[in-house]
């Protein structure tokens, strides 16, 4: 049973090593610079945005980007120390923000002590070995694959996860969960839940049978990459039929679990760069915040930061920049996008039923999409238009007698309508009355 607090959480995701300028950096900062505390300086900003949770990228000792862990029990010295972690968690909780950690248990870095011992002729049982070679994660020589059939690896993972939940974390994102057998997670997670029944666990799963992964692993949730892709590509291609298909799939997932939804994260091109028309960032955000799911906003996307992920060494750096002060270098469009985030996050938090809402299409064309989002007796009507012509809406033709305009691009103050229109490249959210 997923903890009740999850229904209300909206994550603001931060990749700490980049955010505080700790990686890439030459020379690397040292623990006495306490850079992790810089994240705490942004918590009031996160609250102002409307977020209710802080989703942290890797904070544990690693060699480079954080996903090559060398000590799961130690804060990365480039970020600081245990006291800095305690300070950040305490400041987050003081503001009512939950804290999600990023755990890498599929693989470790080459300086992981057990691996060094194995290379020197010691016990190899912690690692996957093929012949005389240690298996790696997706061919990356610096990422050594753990042996998930090892009882010691199971016990180690349980202990690490429980340790940091005991230190104040509220849940875990489990990196590369798709590369780990469900049997491993089904051994680990029940033991952690026994100790921390209110914790939440989300697996990074990119494709495949989401429902089966949740059922067989014991995850509360997985990352909804199918919907992420459909949102930006249907907008760019003016093909809302793709989004309609993806939302039907999304409804099926909601029968089993509530996915982690997003339009940006630390592994993908930023939404303001991904969309060919930056005016459509709001459309993507509307979809994110009016469909079922546990939404996550990647830090910087709320002010339309740009950045393109490239498939090369260092290709993630552009989407993981250092942050200065709030709104530093942000132009008018960025401020407008921030206000839109505030407004739509506020709408989401006033309607917590949206967490498990199902959608149903009312009208679909290539360039326009009208759908209801509903949970029980609660409902909203959402209308999107990415075309160059206004789209007329006759609510009675859509099976709605009348509705109140509660949000929209250029929408008038709240009014009850039976007919309206969606401006070119505009959107509306209406509440049936």
């Amino acid at each position: 049973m997923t903890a009740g607090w999850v229904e209300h959480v909206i994550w603001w995701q931060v990749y700490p090593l980049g955010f505080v300028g700790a990686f890439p950096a030459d020379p690397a900062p040292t623990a006495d610079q306490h850079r992790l505390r810089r994240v705490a300086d942004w918590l009031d900003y996160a609250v102002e945005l409307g977020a209710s949770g802080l989703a942290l990228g890797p904070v544990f000792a690693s060699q480079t980007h954080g996903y090559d862990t060398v000590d799961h029990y130690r804060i990365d010295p480039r970020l600081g120390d245990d006291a800095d972690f305690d300070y950040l968690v305490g400041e987050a909780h003081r503001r009512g923000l939950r804290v999600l950690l990023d755990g890498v248990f599929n693989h470790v870095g080459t300086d992981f002590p057990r691996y060094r011992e194995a290379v020197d002729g010691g016990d190899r049982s912690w690692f996957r070995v093929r012949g005389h070679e240690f298996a790696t994660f997706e061919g990356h020589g610096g990422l050594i694959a753990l042996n998930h059939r090892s009882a010691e690896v199971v016990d180690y993972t349980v202990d690490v996860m429980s340790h940091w939940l005991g230190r104040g974390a509220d849940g875990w994102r489990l990196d590369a969960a798709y590369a780990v057998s469900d049997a491993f997670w089904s051994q680990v997670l029940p033991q952690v839940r026994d100790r921390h029944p209110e914790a939440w666990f989300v697996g990074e799963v990119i494709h495949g049978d989401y429902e089966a992964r949740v059922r067989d692993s014991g995850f509360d949730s997985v990352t909804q990459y199918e919907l992420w892709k459909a949102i930006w590509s249907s907008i760019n291609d003016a093909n809302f039929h793709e989004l309609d298909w993806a939302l039907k799939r999304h409804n099926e997932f909601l029968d089993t679990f509530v996915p982690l939804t997003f339009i940006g994260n630390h592994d993908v091109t930023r939404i303001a760069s991904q969309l060919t028309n930056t005016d459509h960032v709001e459309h993507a955000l509307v979809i994110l915040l009016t469909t079922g799911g546990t939404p996550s906003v990647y830090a910087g996307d709320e002010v339309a930061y740009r950045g393109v992920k490239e498939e090369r060494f260092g290709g993630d750096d552009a989407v993981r920049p250092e942050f200065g002060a709030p709104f530093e270098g942000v132009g008018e469009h960025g401020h407008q996008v921030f206000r839109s985030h505030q407004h739509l996050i506020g709408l989401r938090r006033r309607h917590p039923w949206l967490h498990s809402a199902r959608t149903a299409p009312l009208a679909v064309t290539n360039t326009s999409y009208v759908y209801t989002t509903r949970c029980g007796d609660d409902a909203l009507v959402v209308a999107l238009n990415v075309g160059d012509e206004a789209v007329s809406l006759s609510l009675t033709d859509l099976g709605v007698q009348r509705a109140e305009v509660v949000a929209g691009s250029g929408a008038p103050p709240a009014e009850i309508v039976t007919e309206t229109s969606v401006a070119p490249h505009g959107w509306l959210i209406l509440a049936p009355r």
Side-chain angles (χ1 to χ4, degrees), residues 14 34 49 173 195 220 287 333 352 384 386 410:
V14 170
H34 306 289
L49 175 67
R173 172 196 179 268
R195 304 180 199 181
D220 291 295
I287 299 165
H333 180 250
L384 307 168
V386 296

Side-chain angles (χ1 to χ4, degrees), residues 270 275 321 373:
R270 286 189 177 274
L275 294 172
T373 182

